[in-house]
Amino acid sequence: MLFRSRTIGATGIEVSAVGFGTWTLVSDWWGRTDDPNTMIAAALDAGINFIDTAPVYGADGAGETILAPYLSHRDDIVITTKVGYDISADRRYPGQSERPHDWEPASVRRQVEDSLRRLGTDRIDLLQLHNPRIEPIVDDGLWETLTALVAEGKVRALGVALGPAIGWVEEGNRAIDERPIATLQTVFNVLEQEPGLTFARRPRVAAGEVGLIARVPHASDTLSGRITRDTVFDPKDHRAHRNRDNMLDNFEKAETLGFLWSEGTGRTIGQAAVAGILANPAFCCVIPTVLSVEDVREYAAAADLPLTGDET
């Protein structure tokens, strides 16, 4: 069905409208998950073919190696991974901080080769720059290496994944306008729509040359039904670092959108959050944060529950 399958930019690569990320499977930064392999199998069974990972997910590239056994039927899965972080370096400070970036062209080429080895494949369908600041976006030498990797067949398409928080407007706009990317990944949900809507208005996005990918579609679970205003997160949980006033404000905003998941719509609040993003044609895929097989199945089914004309 059209709603379940979309194309990455102008590449012709078809992906499920709802994707699956490995971040929660190999870390404890969002709570404990079900068995990772059971969750991957549930995603594939639900019709999800777009799997998002990165070398920095988990220890020693675990977010990639966990996928290798599933790539025996290579053409059935669209794999996106990322480059930029030096996974051999220590984090900048203890806890959930970033590792240092290394954008040297030779290093990026080695990172791609390492990812291919860990994934056990000969190609990466979509290679995304992972949380780049402006410097790599404007680095012509880096982009020469990236386009060479495409020409060599090791990478099919290029993208940029912004983060880790909401924002990064200049990086996103310049990547869309000036670089040969097929996708731009950004934090976007029905409560936190900027800068996603700004990116959606860029000419190349509006023309379908660049597709947007939404992450954090449930606004750190204020749109999932999994938490309440009174939920207290473990200090190691990534959500514990969110501004509490912003979280409470999101709960208040969500109350005005209850008609999207009220009785008669057939949607849960979590499904409505996904469907609300997919109602915008600029977005080619939504990547929910999942902890369980139940999450996977619930959010994948949102692709069959599009918003009506009145709801949009």
Side-chain angles (χ1 to χ4, degrees):
M1 285 176 287
L2 179 61
F3 197 68
R4 291 186 64 88
S5 179
R6 298 190 174 189
T7 303
I8 294 179
T11 63
I13 301 172
E14 289 195 359
V15 298
S16 50
V18 178
F20 178 83
T22 68
W23 177 61
T24 56
L25 305 188
V26 292
S27 73
D28 60 358
W29 289 12
W30 203 272
R32 183 171 296 179
T33 65
D34 286 350
D35 174 69
N37 289 294
T38 302
M39 290 176 65
I40 296 170
L44 298 175
D45 288 344
I48 293 174
N49 79 328
F50 185 64
I51 300 184
D52 177 275
T53 190
V56 77
Y57 294 170
D60 302 319
E64 292 179 326
T65 55
I66 197 172
L67 296 174
Y70 298 91
L71 298 184
S72 57
H73 300 287
R74 185 63 182 86
D75 293 338
D76 295 337
I77 295 177
V78 178
I79 288 289
T80 177
T81 191
K82 305 176 185 77
V83 292
Y85 284 115
D86 179 357
I87 68 171
S88 66
D90 292 333
R91 298 190 182 279
R92 297 182 188 278
Y93 52 88
Q96 297 182 15
S97 65
E98 294 180 89
R99 299 184 190 278
H101 278 109
D102 185 350
W103 297 109
E104 288 297 320
S107 174
V108 166
R109 178 174 282 277
R110 286 194 301 272
Q111 291 172 44
V112 169
E113 297 286 358
D114 287 343
S115 288
L116 290 170
R117 174 180 50 79
R118 285 189 291 265
L119 289 163
T121 187
D122 62 348
R123 67 189 184 279
I124 295 164
D125 298 303
L126 174 66
L127 181 70
Q128 301 176 78
L129 274 64
H130 202 174
N131 298 346
R133 279 64 175 179
I134 195 63
E135 290 80 10
I137 300 295
V138 300
D139 184 344
D140 291 337
L142 170 61
W143 286 91
E144 288 175 4
T145 294
L146 293 169
T147 54
L149 289 165
V150 174
E152 294 164 18
K154 295 177 180 178
V155 173
R156 296 178 67 191
L158 300 170
V160 168
L162 299 175
I166 298 172
W168 313 86
V169 181
E170 182 183 8
E171 287 84 352
N173 285 341
R174 294 194 65 173
I176 292 168
D177 295 346
E178 301 174 15
R179 296 304 180 186
I181 62 171
T183 64
L184 183 77
Q185 184 178 150
T186 185
V187 174
F188 183 84
N189 53 72
V190 296
L191 302 179
E192 301 165 314
Q193 299 192 6
E194 287 296 345
L197 292 183
T198 292
F199 299 144
R201 290 190 290 269
R202 305 305 291 185
R204 292 189 66 223
V205 177
E209 297 174 24
V210 177
L212 302 181
I213 299 173
R215 63 185 181 85
V216 199
H218 295 100
S220 296
D221 272 338
T222 56
L223 283 172
S224 71
R226 307 287 194 260
I227 65 171
T228 70
R229 288 176 172 84
D230 299 322
T231 298
V232 177
F233 296 108
D234 185 288
K236 293 188 295 184
D237 192 301
H238 201 62
R239 289 163 292 184
H241 301 282
R242 290 237 22 200
N243 183 289
R244 179 160 176 77
D245 289 338
N246 288 348
M247 293 278 280
L248 294 175
D249 184 54
N250 279 343
F251 274 112
E252 291 184 11
K253 291 178 181 177
E255 291 178 354
T256 69
L257 298 173
F259 66 94
L260 296 178
W261 56 84
S262 61
E263 186 177 354
T265 65
R267 306 185 198 98
T268 64
I269 179 174
Q271 290 169 336
V274 173
I277 296 170
L278 294 176
N280 187 327
F283 286 86
C284 61
C285 191
V286 175
I287 303 177
T289 306
V290 291
L291 291 176
S292 67
V293 168
E294 177 189 30
D295 290 347
V296 174
R297 291 171 177 163
E298 177 185 348
Y299 300 150
D304 292 326
L305 299 165
L307 301 191
T308 66
D310 290 340
E311 290 172 329
T312 58

